[in-house]
Amino acid sequence: MFIGKVVGTVVSSVKDPKVTELKLQIVQELDEHNEPRGKYVVAADAVGAGQGDLVLYASGSSARQTTQTDGRPIDAAIFAIIDSWDVDNELVYQKEGLESFDREPEEV
């Protein structure tokens, strides 16, 4: 699984019937510090993400594990919209409009 930012949408008027109902988004991969990497992917959106949203996405056979992508010719799928994340107890990202919260790090 990867972290990415939705940076665009792909529109296709002619496509295989197995993917006609799927919204296709362009996602730019981000590193652990919320910095863009040079990699982009077209991903089927299984959760209703929008332009600018930070998301979790899967690629390969894992992308076909959501309810919307099961049995479809999909190589990447957005399966979650990120609210926040931290690395080494430092907040890296907090979705706008959400209150920050203090919490103890989970034991691993």
Side-chain angles (χ1 to χ4, degrees):
M1 102 180 55
F2 303 95
I3 294 174
K5 180 178 183 177
V6 177
V7 296
T9 301
V10 175
V11 177
S12 175
S13 58
V14 180
K15 52 189 166 186
D16 186 278
K18 285 189 172 185
V19 297
T20 56
E21 299 169 7
L22 295 174
K23 183 176 181 181
L24 301 175
Q25 304 274 32
I26 300 172
V27 178
Q28 181 177 30
E29 189 174 322
L30 301 174
D31 69 13
E32 69 278 8
H33 302 289
N34 196 12
E35 294 296 325
R37 293 185 171 170
K39 182 179 178 185
Y40 294 82
V41 64
V42 176
D45 184 359
V47 294
Q51 180 81 16
D53 279 340
L54 271 55
V55 297
L56 292 176
Y57 70 96
S59 62
S61 61
S62 296
R64 294 180 290 280
Q65 301 301 313
T66 73
T67 304
Q68 290 84 357
T69 60
D70 185 35
R72 298 174 189 238
I74 298 301
D75 190 52
I78 298 168
F79 64 89
I81 299 171
I82 296 172
D83 293 328
S84 66
W85 92 74
D86 61 73
V87 175
D88 293 329
N89 293 322
E90 294 291 327
L91 185 65
V92 174
Y93 171 78
Q94 178 75 42
K95 189 172 186 175
E96 190 173 311
L98 294 179
E99 292 183 31
S100 62
F101 56 93
D102 294 323
R103 63 178 169 86
E104 292 295 317
E106 294 180 19
E107 293 291 325
V108 179

